[in-house]
Amino acid sequence: MSVEPSQTVQQPIAPLDPNRDLESQRPGHGAPVRPSDEKTIQTDASPATSSAPADLDHVPEMDDELQDNSQVPRLGLWKLFWFFFYNFGLYAWGGPVAQIALIKQRLVVEDRWITLRRFQKVFAVYQILPGPEAAELCMFFGCLSAGRIGGIVAGLAFMLPGFVLMLLASYVYVQVGLTNEYVGASFRALQPVVAALVGKPDPCSSTIVKACHKIAEHTFLDHATKKTNPWLVGMAIMTAVNSALRINIFISLAVFGVINTFLVQKGRFRRVFLALAAVTFALIYVGYGLVVAYRGVPKPVSLALGIARTPSVVHLFVLGLVAGSLSFGGAYTAIPFVQVEAVLLGKWLPQNVFIDCIAIANVLPAPLVIFATFVGFVGGYRDGGYGQAFAGAVVITVGIFFPCFLFTIAGHSLLEKLIRNRYLTAFFDGLCGAVIGVIAVIAAEIMKAAVGGNPPESDSDPARIKRANQTGLAAVICVLALMVLYKFSHRLTVILLVIVAAIAGQYFFVEHKE
């Protein structure tokens, strides 16, 4: 049976009410199901039991499937904003996988804006680009419905609830949390939980240890053989080693991207490319040796670029912009960069406050990169009071989300063509392999800081004993949190764990004077 294009009747697109069932309002509702969505092809002139041809891939309509927007409703900007705000922004709990699953279920499975095959190809592109994939998917669907302005509106609608809640949490924290004993006790109990909670690659893998594991499972796979690529594993290990040697992470990311581009080359010049890869790898440590010989071992702050020595509005925007451009794999690479700039080099954000902001970000309906809003608020407050605090929160949030807005609004088709380039794909594969090493390093650093807590206020024996007791309790809380997170996979596990830890802090870390 052949499928004639003229047999499918296109219906006019009607305005959509976001509060009603989209299935009944979908353009072409009752029209034939597209071949890619079902195993049978139905047309107005054919019975429902007709079988699809064996060579579906050669049906003319299949070639246009990735460009087919006939089922996408055309929404006004206000209706589009409300639709994404109400259906996705308010329910963005449970981490990126839960957010992406919600978008897929509603827009692809139920409402069939696009086919599943097209969704998978779109998602594959956004997995490689920096930025939270869920926000990028919302922008993509917004672009389909109302053009580039629609993409911006959909992205803003998705991130707005989390931003407002983080802004409110930042204000409350600064207002009472910096000096209040009881608030401090709850956050002291939350800090070891954060060591387990940083990042949520899926609802049942909410620990940074499992984050490394889950992301590595995907990143280390060879595209052709679907087996673990030992070269990428080695790049992750060497990136962690480079961080221990205090070699700037930008150098590791760029160099291992270039090396992997050389390694994937085939043909008669393969040996030449392998030699170039070896020389490039050796140059890292030759350069490091020269630096050590003439300037000494680099300090920890050498990992920073020095773009936020003070938390001014301009510096906070640049900090967010660079961190957002580095957010391959979500917030995992943005976290260490912001930490080294604000905590180690700038010294305007205490380590314990930085960990607290990650704890708050983990329980909000938003991508984890929303932690930057807290950083901007606290930094701005220290620089110039509440007016500067709100300005700092806004500009750093704009900066960290700007790259993903730019890449998505610039045009998915262009991005897809770039990603199809095997040299660029190889570069990103090497870069993402190195990212795993960065995640492992930040996992160890956060674990150490969260369990160890702040240095004692004095060198007296009572102060040392107090810190030892708190460190022991924090270690127990961290182990229990890991056990709970590995055992239970419900999407609300994280929220319940944070609530329980905050309450437990009142019993463990508040000094009850007689």
Side-chain angles (χ1 to χ4, degrees):
M1 182 186 94
S2 62
V3 180
E4 299 294 336
S6 61
Q7 289 177 301
T8 301
V9 179
Q10 297 294 333
Q11 299 183 3
I13 297 170
L16 184 72
D17 183 357
N19 294 315
R20 292 175 51 205
D21 181 13
L22 280 181
E23 181 64 23
S24 62
Q25 306 174 71
R26 182 168 55 86
H29 177 64
V33 178
R34 288 173 290 188
S36 56
D37 290 332
E38 298 291 343
K39 293 182 180 179
T40 60
I41 303 177
Q42 301 178 21
T43 66
D44 296 341
S46 63
T49 56
S50 298
S51 300
D55 57 343
L56 277 179
D57 291 337
H58 299 290
V59 178
E61 284 83 349
M62 293 290 286
D63 296 334
D64 298 328
E65 175 192 337
L66 300 182
Q67 303 296 327
D68 180 16
N69 298 325
S70 62
Q71 304 292 343
V72 179
R74 303 297 186 261
L75 300 177
L77 294 181
W78 170 246
K79 287 187 176 180
L80 184 73
F81 176 86
W82 176 248
F83 175 74
F84 280 90
F85 177 87
Y86 179 77
N87 290 285
F88 305 119
L90 292 178
Y91 297 95
W93 309 91
V97 169
Q99 296 160 4
I100 293 165
L102 179 65
I103 296 170
K104 175 183 174 182
Q105 179 65 27
R106 183 64 189 266
L107 299 182
V108 180
V109 177
E110 296 179 5
D111 301 330
R112 294 176 180 168
W113 285 28
I114 62 175
T115 64
L116 180 60
R117 176 172 175 242
R118 185 180 182 188
F119 176 84
Q120 291 170 337
K121 292 182 73 67
V122 169
F123 181 57
V125 173
Y126 293 143
Q127 280 185 305
I128 298 177
L129 297 175
E133 293 97 337
E136 291 169 334
L137 286 172
C138 285
M139 285 182 269
F140 169 75
F141 283 107
C143 286
L144 295 185
S145 180
R148 287 186 170 89
I149 300 299
I152 296 174
V153 169
L156 291 174
F158 176 76
M159 61 171 283
L160 185 60
F163 170 73
V164 172
L165 289 175
M166 178 56 91
L167 198 62
L168 178 62
S170 303
Y171 174 79
V172 173
Y173 184 92
V174 170
Q175 188 77 1
V176 300
L178 294 177
T179 57
N180 187 279
E181 179 185 8
Y182 297 98
V183 174
S186 290
F187 276 102
R188 181 65 185 94
L190 282 174
Q191 287 172 4
V193 175
V194 169
L197 283 179
V198 173
K200 298 187 287 290
D202 61 51
C204 64
S205 300
S206 299
T207 73
I208 195 165
V209 177
K210 293 187 75 178
C212 290
H213 175 235
K214 287 293 180 180
I215 297 174
E217 279 185 339
H218 167 76
T219 302
F220 291 157
L221 286 182
D222 186 282
H223 297 299
T225 64
K226 302 302 180 184
K227 296 180 179 179
T228 300
N229 186 330
W231 291 113
L232 296 178
V233 175
M235 292 174 191
I237 294 173
M238 293 311 301
T239 300
V241 171
N242 289 352
S243 296
L245 296 174
R246 298 170 184 172
I247 297 176
N248 194 290
I249 61 173
F250 290 99
I251 296 176
S252 297
L253 296 177
V255 167
F256 286 123
V258 172
I259 289 176
N260 196 59
T261 305
F262 290 146
L263 292 176
V264 300
Q265 304 306 313
K266 306 294 183 181
R268 57 180 179 175
F269 295 109
R270 175 168 173 75
R271 291 186 178 181
V272 175
F273 286 113
L274 289 176
L276 288 173
V279 170
T280 305
F281 179 77
L283 285 175
I284 300 177
Y285 302 101
V286 171
Y288 177 78
L290 292 174
V291 170
V292 171
Y294 289 98
R295 303 185 61 178
V297 177
K299 298 179 180 180
V301 294
S302 64
L303 300 175
L305 295 180
I307 59 177
R309 293 180 181 272
T310 59
S312 66
V313 171
V314 174
H315 288 165
L316 289 173
F317 174 76
V318 175
L319 177 62
L321 186 63
V322 177
S325 301
L326 288 175
S327 55
F328 298 95
Y332 305 115
T333 46
I335 288 173
F337 177 74
V338 173
Q339 180 190 37
V340 74
E341 292 287 344
V343 178
L344 297 181
L345 182 61
K347 298 183 184 296
W348 45 264
L349 188 68
Q351 177 72 28
N352 64 308
V353 175
F354 181 74
I355 298 175
D356 290 346
C357 82
I358 299 173
I360 297 172
N362 268 280
V363 296
L364 296 180
L368 183 58
V369 293
I370 205 69
F371 81 92
T373 301
F374 185 103
V375 173
F377 190 95
V378 175
Y381 175 77
R382 291 179 177 274
D383 192 52
Y386 281 110
Q388 190 92 341
F390 283 100
V394 171
V395 298
I396 197 172
T397 305
V398 170
I400 206 164
F401 277 96
F402 181 77
C404 73
F405 271 81
L406 177 64
F407 290 134
T408 306
I409 304 304
H412 175 82
S413 58
L414 174 61
L415 294 173
E416 196 166 17
K417 291 178 182 178
L418 293 175
I419 297 303
R420 286 174 183 171
N421 183 291
R422 67 189 184 101
Y423 302 110
L424 189 59
T425 300
F427 177 85
F428 276 112
D429 285 344
L431 185 149
C432 291
V435 163
I436 302 301
V438 177
I439 297 173
V441 170
I442 193 61
E445 290 180 351
I446 289 181
M447 181 76 73
K448 177 182 176 182
V451 174
N454 295 325
E457 297 177 357
S458 66
D459 292 331
S460 63
D461 290 339
R464 292 176 179 273
I465 293 173
K466 176 183 176 181
R467 189 191 185 197
N469 290 336
Q470 291 188 352
T471 299
L473 288 170
V476 171
I477 293 173
C478 186
V479 171
L480 291 175
L482 285 169
M483 293 172 61
V484 169
L485 290 166
Y486 269 88
K487 178 66 176 178
F488 300 101
S489 59
H490 195 278
R491 62 184 298 181
L492 296 180
T493 300
V494 172
I495 298 174
L496 294 175
L497 186 60
V498 168
I499 294 173
V500 171
I503 296 173
Q506 300 301 308
Y507 294 93
F508 293 150
F509 300 110
V510 173
E511 295 185 16
H512 299 284
K513 299 179 181 179
E514 299 181 358

